[in-house]
Amino acid sequence: ADDPNAKEEVARHMAICREGSELRGLLGIPAEDGPPEYSLSAPRNTMDAVDQGNLVATQERRRLGLGNNPLPDLAKLIAAQGIWAAKAVLPDEMSGLFLHHRSIGLAILVNEGHPRPRRRFSFVHEYAHALMDRRASATVSTISNRSDLIEVRANAFAAAFLLPAEGVLSFLHHRRK
């Protein structure tokens, strides 16, 4: 809200999503429900947040049939779940944001100025908010709020989703490490 350029960029992307939603309606394509919502209690502490993130990442990889394999294009994977996903020009301290609005449904924006590995992490981090924090109309991920428990939970989800422990162990085992 304090950065007029960021506010304008988010509004621009929301307008694109709104147009997409209207186009779906005109073409008779039903609105997508999106991924399941994982209803969890608010994390009580850091370990609780990490445990919740890890649990949901495991369940979501299983639901999507991903096994322990490397992930494809994350924006496409997220879009296939009925969530608008895009890169946007955001302030450097903002890695991404999740939006939930009745006119567009669910949307994720990540900072296009960040390096590709960071953007991959941010896409999955914001996807975690779509899965676990959908009741909020917006969740902004910044440097200043990274110790908030829902941010810790989303970070744990992203790490476990991108690099599941079983996949790491299998990789090491096959290399006799």
Side-chain angles (χ1 to χ4, degrees):
D2 296 337
D3 186 330
N5 293 332
K7 190 175 181 178
E8 183 178 318
E9 181 74 350
V10 171
R12 183 175 77 80
H13 280 277
M14 281 194 67
I16 293 169
C17 293
R18 207 171 282 116
E19 290 289 327
S21 294
E22 289 175 13
L23 183 58
R24 279 181 181 163
L26 290 172
L27 294 173
I29 300 170
E32 299 181 38
D33 292 332
E37 182 176 3
Y38 292 84
S39 298
L40 304 168
S41 59
R44 297 179 307 270
N45 53 49
T46 301
M47 278 313 301
D48 192 32
V50 170
D51 289 344
Q52 287 180 359
N54 289 337
L55 174 68
V56 173
T58 300
Q59 291 175 345
E60 190 63 7
R61 280 189 76 96
R62 187 176 302 125
R63 182 186 76 83
L64 295 171
L66 298 172
N68 294 319
N69 300 320
L71 296 173
D73 182 316
L74 291 171
K76 286 182 183 176
L77 176 71
I78 292 167
Q81 300 309 304
I83 302 173
W84 302 103
K87 296 180 285 187
V89 178
L90 300 171
D92 193 49
E93 65 275 0
M94 182 187 296
S95 57
L97 67 144
F98 163 70
L99 302 166
H100 183 196
H101 192 272
R102 60 178 164 66
S103 68
I104 63 167
L106 308 173
I108 290 172
L109 298 177
V110 300
N111 193 325
E112 77 174 26
H114 287 177
R116 185 175 183 271
R118 178 67 179 124
R119 288 193 313 263
R120 284 179 57 83
F121 189 90
S122 296
F123 269 121
V124 178
H125 174 101
E126 300 307 328
Y127 183 58
H129 288 308
L131 296 170
M132 296 180 276
D133 304 312
R134 199 177 300 175
R135 300 209 190 285
S137 60
T139 305
V140 180
S141 302
T142 65
I143 292 170
S144 63
N145 71 353
R146 68 178 163 209
S147 61
D148 292 355
L149 292 178
I150 66 163
E151 293 299 311
V152 171
R153 179 173 67 189
N155 280 336
F157 173 91
F161 194 79
L162 287 168
L163 203 59
E166 298 82 15
V168 173
L169 292 173
S170 175
F171 175 84
L172 293 173
H173 176 74
H174 282 88
R175 280 152 188 79
R176 297 188 177 147
K177 301 287 182 181

